[in-house]
Structure formats: C-alpha cells, structure tokens
Amino acid sequence: MADTFTTRVLNITTGSTETVTDLTSDCESFLAEAADGRDGLLNLFVPHATAGVAVLETGAGSDDDLLAALHTLLPADDRWQHRHGSPGHGRDHVLPALVPPHATLPVIDGRLELGTWQSVCLVDTNVDNPDRKVRLSFLG
C-alpha cells in the first residue's frame, strides 16, 4: 500500500482576514516525492467546518472576486442561527456547502494535470481561526 497511497498534512496560517491561499506549489512538491512519475489522483481535504478547496485562476483578480461573491451570498451579519465567534460567523459554517472541503485532481506522469490558468486554493472566510490543516493524499 505504501507504493500506491501516500499522505501528508500541510499546516497553513491564513491570518486574520478572509483569504484565498494558493496551494499549487505545495501540491506539486508533494507529488514530486509521492507520485514519482506515476499516474493517479491527488485528493485534498480540509478537516475544518469553515474552509474549503477551490480550483480557480489566481493573481488576476478571480481570487478577490470569489471572496466578494461569497460576501454577497453569505453576508457577515446577524441572520445566521450559528452565533458564536465574530459577528456573522455562522456564514463561515455554510461556506463548505458552496466551496467544498475537498477536491480530487488527476495526476499524469507525476504532475498535477491543471488547465493553463488553474490553481488549487484554500478558501478561508473564518477570521477567528488562522491555523488550518490541509491533507494531501496521492493514490497511484
């Protein structure tokens, strides 16, 4: 099984603001060791109730557009039943229904098979918890 399945946990600090954190280079580094030129699948999983994984373009404004769209869809106000933490924190618990806490991506010849402008990102709107874990698993 060690040859077919490998896993690692990344510890990510997102800070005290809503953020989209590019994990692509972390995924590529992991695959350089774990995949060793093989085909397979990379699974990312965020074991948090208030964060998700997205594949999107970064650096050209799409990451900020995503946060703005989430702010429109999930306003940080007092409408939420879940009421502990910062004002509007209940919306952070709804986030994983829209930005799921997982993604499975193809790996070809040991490399992540992404489109030209695609990046793998952690999406975190929870300003109360800056310490995140992301589990990377390669199945080849």
Side-chain angles (χ1 to χ4, degrees), residues 2 9 12 20 26 29-30 35 42 46 48 61 70 74 87 90 98-101 107 115 124 133 139:
V9 174
I12 307 292
V20 174
D26 294 303
S29 295
F30 169 69
L42 174 66
V46 180
H48 299 283
L70 289 171
L74 305 171
L98 300 175
V99 181
V107 176
D124 188 0
K133 295 187 181 308
L139 179 63

Side-chain angles (χ1 to χ4, degrees), residues 66-76 79-80 91 94 98-99:
L66 173 59
L67 291 174
L70 289 171
H71 221 37
T72 299
L73 291 169
L74 305 171
R79 72 183 70 200
W80 308 102
R91 75 181 186 118
V94 177
L98 300 175
V99 181

Side-chain angles (χ1 to χ4, degrees), residues 31-94:
L31 289 171
E33 297 172 28
D36 194 29
R38 295 177 293 150
D39 294 351
L41 296 171
L42 174 66
N43 181 266
L44 292 88
F45 177 70
V46 180
H48 299 283
T50 58
V53 176
V55 177
L56 74 155
E57 179 181 7
T58 59
S62 296
D63 35 356
D64 291 333
D65 288 343
L66 173 59
L67 291 174
L70 289 171
H71 221 37
T72 299
L73 291 169
L74 305 171
D77 58 23
D78 64 356
R79 72 183 70 200
W80 308 102
Q81 299 298 311
H82 190 103
R83 293 185 184 264
H84 74 85
S86 296
H89 174 65
R91 75 181 186 118
D92 299 326
H93 288 273
V94 177

